[in-house]
Amino acid sequence: MKRFLPGLLLAAPPLLVALLGPLFAGEPGDRAQSFAAPGDGHWLGTDFVGRDVWQQVLLGGRSVVLIALAATLLAYAVALPVGFAAALTARGWLEEVLMRPLDVLLGVPTLLFVLLVAAVHSPGPAGLAVLVAVVNVPDAARITRAAAASAAARPAVEALRMQGESRSRIALGYLGRSVLRTLAADAGIRLTGTLYLVATAAFLGVGVAPDAADWAVMVDRNRTGLFLQPWAVVVPALLIVALSMGTNLISDAALGRRRAARGGER
């Protein structure tokens, strides 16, 4: 538990604010002077259009967190079947068909791909989640294939095939258990990268409205008043950084625990 404590202490506050904040945000009040200092009922002052910063913070985390989680889950939903199929197939051409197009996509910078697609068709939150998932599929599929390949070559897999087990049962049952720890460690790192990509896209105005209650949008729209009212930028930025660092630390702790367990088995 001690291994996970630093990560939990960093990730828990932004997660709680993101998930529970809208329940306590209340109704929007009258707008005040823009970039007003804390006081007069505004604990963290006001933003660039006079809205209460504290209320915007309570409302602004759900979009970032939910889009990042949805994108990560969607990426694995596509990458796992592709990776398992490539690891289990005995046909070299089929593995080439499955993996080579992903290698091409892997060579395209992720943010550039998102911006190019957004320039053609401006996506909403769901569209942004799909875009971010697409750019994560190639790397996730390669990791799944690499982790499953050694397990797929074991005699146990051949025995399951001789017993008439389907490829889907072998993949979900035997291979799934074999790669679980690897994918769990990768998921923490991938969620961190996805969170940064979603926040960057929102910062650039992709997937969310320019005046939406969103932590990344808050950083972008209020940066012109950073020296007048820093809380409108500093608080959402710190929440994004804390969530990213906390998730990464939890992933590192899980990976370290896995290595320690392997050392103990030896």
Side-chain angles (χ1 to χ4, degrees):
M1 184 62 184
K2 290 182 179 179
R3 293 176 180 268
F4 295 93
L5 187 58
L8 290 173
L9 289 176
L10 279 173
L15 273 178
L16 290 175
V17 172
L19 298 178
L20 302 179
L23 300 177
F24 301 97
E27 296 296 327
D30 296 333
R31 296 190 179 185
Q33 178 186 355
S34 60
F35 293 131
D40 296 329
H42 303 292
W43 295 357
L44 296 176
T46 62
D47 65 2
F48 70 109
V49 291
R51 295 175 300 187
D52 183 69
V53 171
W54 173 245
Q55 186 180 57
Q56 294 298 298
V57 167
L58 292 178
L59 294 171
R62 182 169 290 184
S63 58
V64 175
V65 172
L66 290 184
I67 291 175
L69 287 174
T72 303
L73 292 176
L74 184 58
Y76 280 116
V78 177
L80 291 181
V82 172
F84 285 148
L88 282 171
T89 185
R91 302 177 179 88
W93 64 267
L94 180 58
E95 182 178 358
E96 293 293 319
V97 169
L98 289 172
M99 300 305 295
R100 294 297 79 80
L102 298 182
D103 290 344
V104 173
L105 187 58
L106 192 63
V108 181
T110 55
L111 184 58
L112 178 61
F113 178 82
V114 171
L115 293 178
L116 287 175
V117 175
V120 177
H121 176 71
S122 181
L128 178 58
V130 172
L131 277 178
V132 175
V134 167
V135 299
N136 274 278
V137 165
D139 191 41
R142 286 172 61 87
I143 290 175
T144 302
R145 189 265 173 200
S150 59
R154 294 172 186 168
V157 173
E158 186 62 29
L160 290 172
R161 285 173 173 164
M162 294 177 66
Q163 292 174 7
E165 294 289 350
S166 65
R167 290 181 180 272
S168 60
R169 289 180 65 95
I170 295 174
L172 294 176
Y174 185 75
L175 292 187
R177 289 194 300 270
S178 301
V179 304
L180 183 60
R181 290 182 180 272
T182 299
L183 294 181
D186 176 68
I189 300 173
R190 192 162 306 284
L191 180 59
T192 301
T194 301
L195 183 64
Y196 272 125
L197 183 57
V198 169
T200 303
F203 180 85
L204 296 174
V206 177
V208 294
D211 59 346
D214 181 277
W215 289 346
V217 173
M218 290 179 67
V219 174
D220 177 38
R221 298 304 176 186
N222 294 301
R223 57 193 170 89
T224 56
L226 179 61
F227 296 103
L228 295 174
Q229 217 293 74
W231 301 113
V233 175
V234 171
V235 173
L238 286 178
L239 288 170
I240 293 174
V241 171
L243 181 57
S244 300
M245 290 183 61
T247 304
N248 206 14
L249 287 174
I250 291 172
S251 175
D252 288 346
L255 188 58
R257 186 174 182 178
R258 178 191 174 199
R259 289 172 178 168
R262 283 184 172 180
E265 290 175 359
R266 293 175 185 174

